[in-house]
Amino acid sequence: MNYQALSAQIRQKKSYLCVGLDTDSQKLPAHLANVPDPVFEFNKAIIDATAPYAVAYKPNIAFYEAQGPRGWESLQKTLDYIPTDCFTIADAKRGDIGNTSGLYARAFFDPSAAGLDFDAITVAPYMGHDSVLPFLEYPGKWVILLALTSNPGSADFQRQQVDNETQELFETVIQKAQTWANHEQLMFVVGATQSDQIARIRELAPDNFLLIPGVGAQGGSLADVSKNGLTKDGGLLVNASRSILYASSGTDFAEAAAAEAKAIQAEMATYLN
Amino acid sequence: MNYQALSAQIRQKKSYLCVGLDTDSQKLPAHLANVPDPVFEFNKAIIDATAPYAVAYKPNIAFYEAQGPRGWESLQKTLDYIPTDCFTIADAKRGDIGNTSGLYARAFFDPSAAGLDFDAITVAPYMGHDSVLPFLEYPGKWVILLALTSNPGSADFQRQQVDNETQELFETVIQKAQTWANHEQLMFVVGATQSDQIARIRELAPDNFLLIPGVGAQGGSLADVSKNGLTKDGGLLVNASRSILYASSGTDFAEAAAAEAKAIQAEMATYLN
């Protein structure tokens, strides 16, 4: 899905909600324990319940990888089930030397390789340009580069003063990455818990979409993020995972997820106006 | 495998060679095309051929992930086949917020999860301490943190001047990480192409093992790396992948791999004396 189509989806659904499919096999409702693929059945119900309110889905790959080969099968079935009008993100935080990043790109972007055809992948910047460029060689696919993450450890390196104390490392990451790709193929991850920095990031990256995790369970404010981050084309994908997936642990988990997603979408609609 | 056992293996085999099992399904000898699991058959022959000369094996996970679920099965069989006196490294370059890094740790360290029981995993430092600590919660397991990598992109961020121009980012990574774990659970990745920096890294991390890729196809010098990096306990794992795996593309690939590994081991033996 390209920039214009994503922006159109945001206008149409009045939503920039991304649902994080961080499906923990140990947290599923008890009544799903005996179906053949509980993770997929859970995801299917969550997708059905939330698709009217979400423009994107983001499985975090760790949750599937921790299940071994059958986890990858659940992931593949889940991705195939997501409606084609939704943007899909492999939250994988990959990155390696060039020929190896090329294989990760093949894994997530080339359906003839591992059966996966995501629109986008999250990538860690530490190894620099040649660890990122192989993902950009797939026309129409996106890199979502970690910039300023939502966790406490973001202070350790991302906020190091660099360049003679003139700026912080995450700012250098955002600036350099824009020499590798434009806003039609490059987004940045910025934690919602860093909302005081979003206005600054908008100066550095006026047109790039920002993928914002950390609203909900991690405590970030949707109002603050939206005020500082929205652009004329949308420009934000705000992710919620646990608050939607585990809104109820009973047989009504999908209805509870829909209600939570609908509430977030309704709040987003007010900020889009 | 703990620090003392790894050090003893290095003394016994007179080797600090790590064989990188970066097995590209598109580069296998033609005669393996029709066996049920060509990647595993290839790895099995490479392991048999090189085990007398190697103390460690390091599958790069991208190569398996790009094969989908069957790639993970090949990986699991390969790991199970590696002799127990060899150290095993999942070259995965993972890292995410705490609860998610915990799932990656489960995937690679807890055999009841995904069937994998590696000794160590490579981890990207960008997200900071809480992205690394979950891996260290497994007693006896190791984190191998990216510090200064072998690729051109290492100049982009790792070599940024930080802390009022007093040092570079990779030095800060090495210093901070040593407050999270000691040398019995923490190694660093340092590219062989950065051999001018290894003496400096030895000042910062006198007792930690360094995992050194980039000898061979990437052009690093084993002599330079060894002169600056060896310690009384060994302190180095030098990785070679393509130069061993693809020493011959014919039916004699395993013999050619053995010869290449033996030549590297013989050179290492001279440096250990």
Side-chain angles (χ1 to χ4, degrees):
Chain A
M1 183 181 290
N2 68 21
Y3 181 92
Q4 288 73 20
L6 177 56
S7 183
Q9 281 296 319
I10 290 172
R11 276 192 301 274
Q12 188 180 322
K13 285 186 171 169
K14 296 186 176 30
S15 169
Y16 40 100
L17 173 62
C18 174
V19 175
L21 295 170
D22 302 358
T23 308
D24 188 336
S25 60
Q26 301 181 345
K27 283 192 192 165
L28 298 182
H31 71 283
L32 289 179
N34 297 316
V35 303
D37 185 342
V39 167
F40 174 61
E41 288 302 323
F42 180 82
N43 286 349
K44 198 163 160 290
I46 292 286
I47 293 165
D48 285 339
T50 58
Y53 315 112
V55 293
Y57 287 91
K58 179 178 77 61
N60 187 306
I61 305 304
F63 289 78
Y64 301 86
E65 198 161 290
Q67 302 284 305
R70 75 195 152 92
W72 289 87
E73 285 163 15
S74 302
L75 177 65
Q76 189 182 331
K77 285 192 277 180
T78 298
L79 181 61
D80 289 346
Y81 192 76
I82 296 172
T84 54
D85 65 358
C86 294
F87 190 79
T88 57
I89 301 166
D91 193 1
K93 301 186 174 73
R94 301 298 195 254
D96 206 313
I97 63 170
N99 69 323
T100 311
S101 269
L103 285 159
Y104 281 127
R106 201 198 288 171
F108 290 100
F109 288 163
D110 177 353
S112 74
L116 301 174
D117 191 12
F118 281 96
D119 289 312
I121 183 172
T122 58
V123 175
Y126 190 72
M127 294 181 71
H129 66 274
D130 55 318
S131 70
V132 177
L133 295 177
F135 296 100
L136 296 166
E137 286 170 12
Y138 286 74
K141 300 295 189 181
W142 296 72
V143 162
I144 309 182
L145 198 66
L146 300 184
L148 184 57
T149 58
S150 59
N151 61 318
S154 63
D156 287 331
F157 307 119
Q158 297 166 27
R159 307 214 57 176
Q160 281 278 329
Q161 295 282 342
V162 298
D163 280 344
N164 224 346
E165 310 284 299
T166 55
Q167 62 182 22
E168 298 181 6
L169 178 63
F170 77 91
E171 300 175 282
T172 303
V173 167
I174 291 171
Q175 286 179 318
K176 280 209 179 165
Q178 288 185 86
T179 66
W180 310 334
N182 69 20
H183 65 281
E184 301 206 336
Q185 242 188 325
L186 179 68
M187 303 186 185
F188 296 103
V189 175
V190 179
T193 52
Q194 312 275 6
S195 63
D196 57 325
Q197 296 295 324
I198 292 179
R200 167 66 179 145
I201 289 169
R202 267 286 162 247
E203 288 172 26
L204 294 171
D207 298 320
N208 298 77
F209 268 86
L210 307 180
L211 171 63
I212 314 258
V215 165
Q218 293 181 60
S221 153
L222 178 57
D224 291 347
V225 160
S226 302
K227 187 180 70 179
N228 295 321
L230 282 172
T231 68
K232 65 177 174 28
D233 296 325
L236 291 181
L237 292 173
V238 172
N239 186 75
S241 297
R242 287 171 269 180
S243 62
I244 291 177
L245 301 191
Y246 310 121
S248 161
S249 59
T251 52
D252 64 342
F253 74 94
E255 291 84 344
E260 177 70 19
K262 187 178 182 178
I264 298 173
Q265 181 273 324
E267 188 180 341
M268 287 177 168
T270 68
Y271 302 135
L272 283 170
N273 280 337
Chain B
M1 182 181 290
N2 68 20
Y3 181 93
Q4 289 74 20
L6 177 57
S7 184
Q9 281 296 319
I10 289 171
R11 277 193 299 275
Q12 189 180 321
K13 285 186 171 169
K14 297 186 175 32
S15 170
Y16 40 100
L17 173 61
C18 175
V19 175
L21 296 169
D22 302 356
T23 307
D24 187 337
S25 61
Q26 301 181 344
K27 282 192 193 166
L28 298 181
H31 71 283
L32 290 179
N34 296 316
V35 303
D37 185 343
V39 167
F40 174 61
E41 287 303 324
F42 179 83
N43 287 348
K44 197 162 161 287
I46 292 286
I47 293 165
D48 286 339
T50 58
Y53 315 112
V55 294
Y57 288 91
K58 179 177 76 63
N60 187 306
I61 305 305
F63 290 79
Y64 302 86
E65 198 161 291
Q67 301 285 303
R70 76 196 151 92
W72 288 88
E73 284 162 14
S74 303
L75 177 66
Q76 187 182 334
K77 286 192 277 180
T78 298
L79 181 62
D80 289 346
Y81 192 77
I82 295 171
T84 54
D85 65 358
C86 294
F87 190 79
T88 55
I89 301 165
D91 194 0
K93 301 185 175 75
R94 300 298 194 254
D96 207 313
I97 63 170
N99 70 324
T100 310
S101 269
L103 285 160
Y104 281 127
R106 200 198 289 172
F108 290 101
F109 288 164
D110 177 353
S112 74
L116 301 174
D117 191 12
F118 281 96
D119 289 311
I121 183 171
T122 58
V123 175
Y126 190 72
M127 294 182 70
H129 65 274
D130 55 318
S131 70
V132 177
L133 295 177
F135 296 101
L136 296 165
E137 285 170 12
Y138 285 74
K141 301 293 189 181
W142 297 72
V143 162
I144 310 182
L145 198 65
L146 300 184
L148 184 57
T149 58
S150 59
N151 62 318
S154 63
D156 288 330
F157 307 120
Q158 298 166 27
R159 306 213 59 176
Q160 280 278 330
Q161 295 282 341
V162 298
D163 280 345
N164 224 346
E165 311 284 299
T166 56
Q167 61 182 23
E168 298 179 8
L169 178 62
F170 77 90
E171 299 175 283
T172 303
V173 167
I174 291 171
Q175 286 179 320
K176 280 209 179 164
Q178 288 184 86
T179 68
W180 309 335
N182 71 19
H183 66 281
E184 302 205 337
Q185 242 188 325
L186 180 67
M187 304 187 185
F188 296 103
V189 174
V190 180
T193 51
Q194 312 274 7
S195 62
D196 57 324
Q197 296 295 325
I198 291 180
R200 167 65 179 145
I201 290 168
R202 265 287 162 249
E203 288 173 27
L204 294 170
D207 298 319
N208 298 77
F209 268 85
L210 307 180
L211 171 63
I212 314 259
V215 165
Q218 292 181 60
S221 154
L222 178 57
D224 291 347
V225 160
S226 302
K227 188 179 70 180
N228 295 322
L230 282 171
T231 69
K232 66 177 173 30
D233 296 326
L236 290 181
L237 291 173
V238 173
N239 185 76
S241 297
R242 286 171 271 180
S243 61
I244 291 177
L245 301 191
Y246 310 119
S248 161
S249 60
T251 54
D252 64 340
F253 76 94
E255 293 85 343
E260 177 70 19
K262 187 177 181 179
I264 298 173
Q265 181 274 323
E267 188 180 342
M268 288 176 168
T270 68
Y271 303 135
L272 283 169
N273 278 336

